[in-house]
Amino acid sequence: AQSVTQLGSHVSVSEGALVLLRCNYSSSVPPYLFWYVQYPNQGLQLLLKYTTGATLVKGINGFEAEFKKSETSFHLTKPSAHMSDAAEYFCAYSGGGADGLTFGKGTHLIIQP
Amino acid sequence: DAGVIQSPRHEVTEMGQEVTLRCKPISGHNSLFWYRQTMMRGLELLIYFNNNVPIDDSGMPEDRFSAKMPNASFSTLKIQPSEPRDSAVYFCASSLLLMGTRGNTIYFGEGSWLTVV
């Protein structure tokens, strides 16, 4: 069965510091990987996704993620954190087709002033 | 463009009452998903439809839950009777699945926040 693991339910960084949110997956088929962000009291918004091709994927708000098949990882990074980045971040997996996404438990990103 | 529209945004109901959550997917999308979000279990896929047909309802917790999609622009999730443990945020999401494509983006609504007392 496919699964997604996000290491760290809470991550705290200082404003201006590097953001690194970790995601690992397990899958028997080539994965399609997503990062979503959820701001308080709102729905989920797509940050970026990997389907095929370039393994370094750039998304909105300065975020990017790199698909590493050998490490079964899809970590999310941003060079310099901003206060507005404080939110819940979800890594998700899809095996393709019409089925829905399998989500990780989420990582709450806290930005310290 | 209008996104996925859910109603009600907030619902407080008494245990034993029937709850109906409604969803209008993005126009032209052919796949619709219902998710439930709780602190304990995170985001869980309850059921999804493709071309108005339920494909997989294995995530529906029990018979008290039912979902319908009578047409391409409307879906409901019903809980009858409701229980306090059903308190959660229920998200509807939609996607356009094209033959031969994969990794389609799923777009989420703002959620329906349900509290059962």
Side-chain angles (χ1 to χ4, degrees), chain A:
Chain A
Q2 301 89 356
S3 68
V4 177
T5 302
Q6 291 184 240
L7 296 176
S9 59
H10 291 77
V11 170
S12 179
V13 301
S14 299
E15 189 175 17
L18 171 72
V19 175
L20 171 60
L21 304 183
R22 299 177 187 275
C23 174
N24 289 88
Y25 69 92
S26 65
S27 170
S28 57
V29 298
Y32 300 91
L33 297 162
F34 303 74
W35 276 100
Y36 280 82
V37 60
Q38 184 180 29
Y39 297 103
N41 301 320
Q42 294 188 24
L44 280 73
Q45 178 183 2
L46 180 71
L47 271 178
L48 50 80
K49 68 176 181 181
Y50 168 78
T51 54
T52 59
T55 56
L56 181 61
V57 181
K58 294 186 184 299
I60 62 172
N61 301 339
F63 284 93
E64 62 183 35
E66 186 170 11
F67 170 61
K68 293 187 177 181
K69 184 177 179 180
S70 61
E71 299 177 8
T72 61
S73 69
F74 191 56
H75 301 332
L76 181 71
T77 60
K78 181 174 181 177
S80 177
H82 192 273
M83 295 300 291
S84 61
D85 295 326
E88 191 84 14
Y89 291 80
F90 293 92
C91 182
Y93 162 96
S94 169
D99 56 338
L101 297 172
T102 299
F103 284 88
K105 294 291 188 184
T107 297
H108 185 62
L109 178 62
I110 301 163
I111 310 296
Q112 304 280 6

Side-chain angles (χ1 to χ4, degrees), chain B residues 40-57:
Chain B
M40 291 297 294
R41 301 173 69 89
L43 277 158
E44 303 172 277
L45 177 62
L46 300 179
I47 185 171
Y48 70 89
F49 297 82
N50 186 244
N51 292 323
N52 311 338
V53 176
I55 303 300
D56 184 355
D57 65 355

Side-chain angles (χ1 to χ4, degrees), chain B:
Chain B
D1 289 340
V4 177
I5 300 172
Q6 294 186 243
S7 65
R9 286 297 313 278
H10 298 274
E11 173 103 4
V12 180
T13 190
E14 292 185 345
M15 182 174 62
Q17 296 298 306
E18 177 180 294
V19 174
T20 299
L21 308 179
R22 298 172 177 80
C23 176
K24 176 178 169 59
I26 293 173
S27 178
H29 281 190
N30 57 6
S31 295
L32 183 140
F33 309 84
W34 283 100
Y35 281 87
R36 178 173 68 176
Q37 185 180 34
T38 61
M39 289 291 292
M40 291 297 294
R41 301 173 69 89
L43 277 158
E44 303 172 277
L45 177 62
L46 300 179
I47 185 171
Y48 70 89
F49 297 82
N50 186 244
N51 292 323
N52 311 338
V53 176
I55 303 300
D56 184 355
D57 65 355
S58 60
M60 296 286 262
E62 47 195 279
D63 292 345
R64 298 184 296 106
F65 286 69
S66 62
K68 294 182 179 180
M69 192 166 186
N71 57 63
S73 59
F74 184 66
S75 177
T76 60
L77 178 67
K78 185 176 293 186
I79 308 172
Q80 166 63 18
S82 58
E83 297 183 2
R85 60 193 169 117
D86 301 331
S87 297
V89 185
Y90 292 82
F91 288 103
C92 178
S94 71
S95 176
L96 175 60
L97 176 66
L98 301 173
M99 290 297 293
T101 66
R102 305 167 76 178
N104 305 288
T105 298
I106 295 178
Y107 296 86
F108 284 76
E110 296 282 289
S112 291
W113 301 68
L114 174 65
T115 302
V116 182
V117 298

